[in-house]
């Protein structure tokens, strides 16, 4: 097999048997959609969807110094995370640029699982390994040790509860517990990237097909459908969730991305990027360069990443993500715009779509928030 050949998940043959349209994503062959991406999107918003996310990068950090290493290597206060809980955080360069956004699960007193984006898994692994020098901790590449399935949507608790004895009612958002789902040992996490309630299930790759089939059967009376990456993107966009490579990059600090809250200066000791991030925080407080906003179209033309945002004949920003929103019924976008045009309700803003300036409303993010 050549190195350019995309990697395949444990569910690859199953996706093909379901008629999935496959695509190369971050070096993996992944299902883009099974049928209509709009139907898949709406199923997650109103019922439930089942995703294969086995391309995500799991890295295990263990040992007496694991918490201290992660406090130094990442911008968050990881030693403050209780066992069984998870935290959204970032790993930055010395200059404050974002290498990746992550979820860190504390599995035990001295064991953590760092979940990186597929496109950055190697970068994160290399950075953590390099930063581990001098710490009593081991960094382990566990990407091949896990398959990851996600059940997302309002019906997901009922579907999952029918297959497990684990107490899902008591499982908070951003928490995880070991359990058995349909006889398969799993880490059951109440996390997701859709804006809906839902769960992510980390299992051994050899159990992935069995678990997918059990979830599909349990979901029959609940309107569960298999979902691809295409609707995952429109779901996270409606929920105002950033995507690495679009809203996040090494040229931006967390403060530039409006996510300065993930940087915990109050934690003890130094951490990579601390000095640069302190400067970035001050700059953002005094004079934010550009602000991440939501844009909702008046018309039907869809903005795409890289399109210029205009006001009064001048470029005031750039679209980072854009798509038709099935929930709003109109095209939406996230964009970085000059601070003076970032206030919700700002008038006279447009997106340059192939030479014509289409009118857009500036709105606060997220576009969609589920009813609790």
């Amino acid at each position: 097999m050549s190195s350019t050949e995309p990697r395949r998940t444990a569910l690859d043959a199953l996706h093909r048997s379901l008629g999935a349209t496959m695509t190369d994503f971050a070096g993996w062959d992944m299902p883009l959609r099974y049928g209509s991406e709009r139907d898949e999107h709406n199923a997650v918003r109103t019922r439930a969807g089942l995703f294969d996310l086995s391309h995500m990068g799991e890295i295990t950090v263990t040992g007496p110094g694991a918490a201290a290493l992660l406090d130094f290597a990442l911008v968050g206060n990881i030693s403050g995370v209780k066992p069984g809980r998870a935290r959204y955080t970032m790993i930055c360069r010395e200059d404050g640029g974002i290498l990746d956004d992550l979820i860190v699960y504390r599995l035990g007193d001295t064991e953590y699982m760092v979940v990186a984006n597929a496109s950055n898994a190697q970068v994160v692994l290399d950075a953590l390994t390099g930063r581990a020098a001098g710490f009593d901790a081991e960094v382990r590449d566990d990407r091949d040790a896990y398959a990851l399935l996600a059940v997302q949507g309002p019906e997901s608790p009922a579907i999952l509860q029918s297959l497990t004895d684990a107490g899902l009612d008591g499982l908070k958002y951003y928490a995880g517990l070991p359990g058995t789902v349909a006889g398969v040992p799993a880490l059951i996490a109440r996390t997701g990237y859709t804006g809906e309630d839902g769960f992510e299930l980390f299992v051994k790759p050899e159990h992935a097909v069995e678990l997918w089939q059990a979830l599909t059967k349990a979901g029959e009376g609940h309107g569960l459908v298999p979902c691809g990456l295409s609707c995952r993107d429109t779901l996270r966009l409606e929920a105002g969730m950033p995507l690495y490579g679009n809203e996040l990059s090494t040229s931006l600090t967390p403060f530039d991305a409006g996510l300065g809250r993930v940087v915990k200066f109050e934690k003890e000791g130094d951490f990579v990027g601390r000095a640069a991030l302190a400067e970035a925080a001050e700059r953002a407080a005094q004079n934010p360069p550009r602000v991440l906003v939501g844009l909702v179209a008046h018309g039907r033309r869809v903005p795409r990443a890289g399109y210029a945002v205009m006001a009064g004949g001048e470029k005031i920003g750039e679209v980072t993500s854009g798509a038709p929103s099935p929930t709003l019924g109109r095209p939406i976008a996230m964009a970085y715009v000059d601070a003076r045009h970032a206030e919700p309700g700002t008038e006279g803003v447009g997106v340059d779509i192939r030479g014509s300036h289409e009118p857009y409303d500036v709105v606060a993010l997220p576009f969609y928030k589920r009813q609790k």
Side-chain angles (χ1 to χ4, degrees):
M1 185 168 126
S2 77
S3 60
T4 53
E5 190 84 11
R7 297 179 69 180
R8 297 185 170 188
T9 78
L11 293 159
D12 184 77
L14 195 148
H15 297 317
R16 291 167 198 280
S17 74
L18 291 170
T21 301
M22 305 296 285
T23 188
D24 184 346
F25 183 81
W28 289 81
D29 216 9
M30 297 297 292
L32 190 62
R33 71 182 74 81
Y34 298 84
S36 152
E37 55 204 52
R38 177 180 289 268
D39 289 350
E40 292 172 23
H41 178 111
N42 289 334
V44 175
R45 285 275 176 263
T46 60
R47 303 183 306 278
L50 178 58
F51 297 82
D52 177 11
L53 306 178
S54 302
H55 59 312
M56 300 296 280
E58 295 87 7
I59 300 159
T60 303
V61 181
T62 56
L69 163 59
L70 291 170
D71 275 348
F72 169 72
L74 311 180
V75 301
N77 180 9
I78 307 305
S79 57
V81 178
K82 293 184 169 62
R85 298 307 303 264
R87 178 132 328 150
Y88 175 79
T89 187
M90 293 184 183
I91 183 167
C92 291
R93 300 192 307 194
E94 199 65 68
D95 66 2
I98 303 166
L99 283 172
D100 200 14
D101 62 334
L102 313 163
I103 295 181
V104 179
Y105 296 89
R106 186 168 190 173
L107 304 180
D109 284 343
T110 59
E111 184 178 5
Y112 296 80
M113 181 168 68
V114 177
V115 182
N117 285 296
S119 53
N120 295 328
Q122 192 62 49
V123 169
V124 174
L125 178 67
D126 292 345
L128 285 175
T129 303
R131 295 173 189 187
F135 288 94
D136 187 6
E138 181 199 346
V139 177
R140 190 172 71 232
D141 180 0
D142 266 349
R143 283 176 286 180
D144 292 337
Y146 292 102
L148 176 56
L149 279 63
V151 196
Q152 297 281 300
E155 293 289 318
S156 57
I159 293 167
L160 191 58
Q161 193 63 81
S162 72
L163 296 173
T164 183
D165 292 338
L168 301 183
D169 282 351
L171 187 64
K172 295 189 173 82
Y173 187 50
Y174 267 73
L177 83 171
T180 305
V181 182
V184 170
L187 171 67
I188 305 167
R190 200 164 210 151
T191 45
Y193 193 50
T194 62
E196 296 300 336
D197 191 8
F199 303 87
E200 295 182 321
L201 307 170
F202 295 85
V203 298
K204 288 184 176 174
E206 58 265 33
H207 294 148
V209 171
E210 175 189 347
L211 183 57
W212 178 285
Q213 289 170 338
L215 288 162
T216 300
K217 189 160 177 46
E220 279 172 2
H222 296 273
L224 176 92
V225 301
C227 293
L229 293 181
S230 189
C231 83
R232 182 170 149 89
D233 191 48
T234 53
L235 289 159
R236 70 92 196 165
L237 177 55
E238 287 184 352
M241 294 175 166
L243 175 65
Y244 196 92
N246 291 46
E247 287 73 39
L248 309 175
S249 69
T250 50
S251 63
L252 296 168
T253 72
F255 294 95
D256 298 323
L259 291 164
R261 65 179 181 277
V262 306
V263 182
K264 304 300 182 188
F265 292 116
E266 70 275 15
K267 65 179 173 175
E268 282 181 25
D270 195 17
F271 61 90
V272 177
R274 181 192 267 273
L277 288 166
E279 285 176 26
E282 205 170 306
R283 276 198 312 272
Q286 290 170 355
N287 186 20
R290 281 188 168 171
V291 179
L292 188 65
V293 300
L295 298 173
V296 179
H298 288 201
R300 293 267 158 227
R301 298 185 73 187
V302 178
R304 297 296 181 197
Y307 285 12
V309 182
M310 310 292 292
E314 63 166 330
K315 182 177 175 181
I316 58 150
E318 195 170 284
V319 170
T320 53
S321 297
S325 163
T327 306
L328 275 64
R330 290 198 280 169
I332 59 172
M334 285 201 272
Y336 283 110
V337 302
D338 293 348
R340 68 183 188 279
H341 295 283
E343 203 56 43
T346 301
E347 295 185 347
V349 171
V351 176
D352 185 343
I353 301 182
R354 297 190 185 85
S356 94
H357 292 186
E358 300 287 327
Y360 274 74
D361 292 327
V362 178
V363 301
L365 292 168
F367 300 96
Y368 165 85
K369 207 165 190 174
R370 73 183 171 94
Q371 302 301 306
K372 290 282 189 264

